[in-house]
Amino acid sequence: MHDHEEAIRILVAYVRLELGDPVVALTMAKSVLSRNVDSPTSISIKRKALARLYACEALCCIGNAPAALQIILKSDMESVSDSEQRHPPADPIEKLVDDMSWKMDKGEARALVNVAFSATFAANDELGKAENHAKVALAVNLKSVNARNALLFCLLRRGDTAGALNILRMSR
């Protein structure tokens, strides 16, 4: 697969997710993730970060939450140098944030990645972890509708309607 094909597959994955077709989105994202390159470019690494988020969302949409969790927590070892392989980043969130920050500022990337982690943990019925990631996302970007919705989801699933109402009041 050439560089332009990889870019097109990422765009198709995004569009198919927006159109409610997670199966095609997952196929496109997995084709980018499976690309083995001898010397990955920074663009290739960044596209793989997007592909991981899109694959995670697609897997959640089709009801395969355990696979989504596995994808988002996976360390992308084929795209890092030998020294990084010996000392992989301790935090998969920070790795994704670094890889995503070419497209947006780090705060926005951190909020987006934490929302993805929140949704994935929520889909796996790990509401405590999901709520923590939603809180981080909201703290990083107070205007993030997705972060607010993720936190509202967790609070309501827990039965904390008072907490959910407080979040809604603060967002006005």
Side-chain angles (χ1 to χ4, degrees):
M1 177 182 333
H2 293 50
D3 216 31
H4 63 281
E5 289 176 85
E6 187 178 81
I8 290 169
R9 288 174 193 262
I10 285 294
L11 290 172
V12 169
Y14 171 76
V15 169
R16 296 316 292 188
L17 277 171
E18 289 297 313
L19 293 175
D21 188 356
V23 175
V24 173
L26 181 60
T27 302
M28 293 293 114
K30 280 188 170 183
S31 70
V32 172
L33 289 171
S34 67
R35 181 176 181 203
N36 234 348
V37 288
D38 295 331
S39 59
T41 65
S42 62
I43 295 295
S44 178
I45 291 169
K46 292 164 184 166
R47 284 192 190 124
K48 282 192 174 198
L50 277 174
R52 282 176 58 199
L53 290 178
Y54 294 162
C56 177
E57 184 174 344
L59 286 163
C60 284
C61 288
I62 61 175
N64 194 347
L69 188 60
Q70 193 174 36
I71 287 230
I72 203 162
L73 292 175
K74 175 186 163 276
S75 177
D76 200 10
M77 296 311 287
E78 68 270 8
S79 67
V80 295
S81 68
D82 289 339
S83 65
E84 285 180 282
Q85 283 184 11
R86 282 183 292 236
H87 307 287
D91 188 355
I93 292 173
E94 287 307 310
K95 172 74 172 116
L96 272 172
V97 167
D98 286 343
D99 290 347
M100 295 288 297
S101 61
W102 66 285
K103 215 164 168 56
M104 59 192 72
D105 71 70
K106 280 204 183 236
E108 219 178 320
R110 187 167 282 107
L112 177 69
V113 169
N114 274 287
V115 166
F117 269 78
S118 177
T120 305
F121 281 121
N124 279 285
D125 288 325
E126 295 184 47
L127 289 180
K129 290 179 182 179
E131 185 175 336
N132 288 339
H133 284 286
K135 285 178 179 177
V136 169
L138 196 57
V140 170
N141 186 352
L142 290 172
K143 294 182 181 181
S144 172
V145 174
N146 291 330
R148 187 187 69 228
N149 289 345
L151 183 55
L152 287 171
F153 176 84
C154 293
L155 292 172
L156 290 172
R157 281 279 307 271
R158 233 183 348 109
D160 185 0
T161 53
L165 283 172
N166 283 337
I167 296 295
L168 288 172
R169 284 185 189 116
M170 291 183 339
S171 65
R172 284 195 247 171

